[in-house]
Amino acid sequence: MRNISDVIEQYLKQVLKESQANTIEIKRQDIAKRFECVPSQINYVINTRFTVEKGYLVESKRGGGGYIRIRRVILHEKQDVLASLIDFLHNQPSLNEQVVENILIRLFEEGLMSEREVRLLFHILSDESLGLYTEDRHLIRRHQLLALMKLLSYR
């Protein structure tokens, strides 16, 4: 059985897929009512499932007329995908395993890596494989992923 976060994620992705503009505007309260959950559950889903490295841009406006706008970024050229991820990596203060997994899944979904390559790299960049101190792992992951983006851009 799927948990409520998975259900909300799938619902939002389906609505987004049906959108002509690859953008949806939602009200946190409306979605919370629909799924009979607290609004913070909607925040959790959006903050963890609709991230830049997964190919989404999220804008929000708080208050009475507030909304959350989710936009699927569709990049048609592999260079655009790689440039987007490189920019993200340069501006990301920490790269935990979840962020690395998100980036690798995005590369797979964009057809830039095979499933096997993703699995191998995720294992190599995991906490278990890297050991070290947290700051060192983040630095090594950043350098390795930037090197990967460079390599993929010439493939």
Side-chain angles (χ1 to χ4, degrees):
M1 184 172 174
R2 297 183 322 171
N3 66 37
I4 188 70
S5 295
D6 293 338
V7 173
I8 295 167
E9 175 189 12
Q10 289 309 311
Y11 170 76
L12 293 173
K13 284 183 175 179
Q14 184 61 39
V15 172
L16 195 55
K17 185 178 180 180
E18 293 169 2
S19 164
Q20 299 295 336
N22 289 312
T23 301
I24 58 172
E25 222 173 77
I26 61 168
K27 292 196 179 282
R28 193 178 353 261
Q29 195 67 33
D30 293 345
I31 302 298
K33 282 181 186 174
R34 179 183 188 91
F35 291 99
E36 299 177 356
C37 65
V38 294
S40 62
Q41 183 72 43
I42 307 305
N43 288 344
Y44 170 78
V45 171
I46 290 169
N47 291 333
T48 60
R49 314 284 176 98
F50 294 91
T51 60
V52 171
E53 69 268 18
K54 290 183 178 182
Y56 297 94
L57 292 177
V58 177
E59 304 169 44
S60 67
K61 180 182 174 220
R62 298 211 180 256
Y67 61 83
I68 297 174
R69 185 177 297 139
I70 303 171
R71 183 179 316 139
R72 175 75 172 144
V73 179
I74 299 176
L75 302 171
H76 297 287
E77 299 290 327
K78 77 173 187 173
Q79 294 301 329
D80 292 338
V81 173
L82 295 171
S84 169
L85 289 171
I86 288 168
D87 287 345
F88 172 78
L89 287 169
H90 282 300
N91 296 313
Q92 192 67 18
S94 67
L95 292 176
N96 61 35
E97 283 184 332
Q98 185 60 58
V99 173
V100 171
E101 181 179 23
N102 293 342
I103 290 170
L104 293 175
I105 289 170
R106 175 95 187 270
L107 292 170
F108 171 74
E109 289 174 347
E110 297 288 346
L112 293 167
M113 293 180 66
S114 71
E115 183 179 349
R116 183 173 188 266
E117 291 167 332
V118 167
R119 288 179 187 275
L120 289 169
L121 279 171
F122 181 70
H123 177 71
I124 289 169
L125 296 173
S126 71
D127 287 347
E128 182 182 348
S129 292
L130 290 175
L132 309 168
Y133 295 104
T134 303
E135 298 80 28
D136 294 337
R137 285 195 302 258
H138 294 306
L139 183 63
I140 289 169
R141 286 181 180 130
R142 178 177 290 104
H143 286 291
Q144 293 300 313
L145 287 171
L146 286 168
L148 173 65
M149 301 304 153
K150 184 177 178 183
L151 175 69
L152 290 173
S153 69
Y154 296 111
R155 202 167 163 182

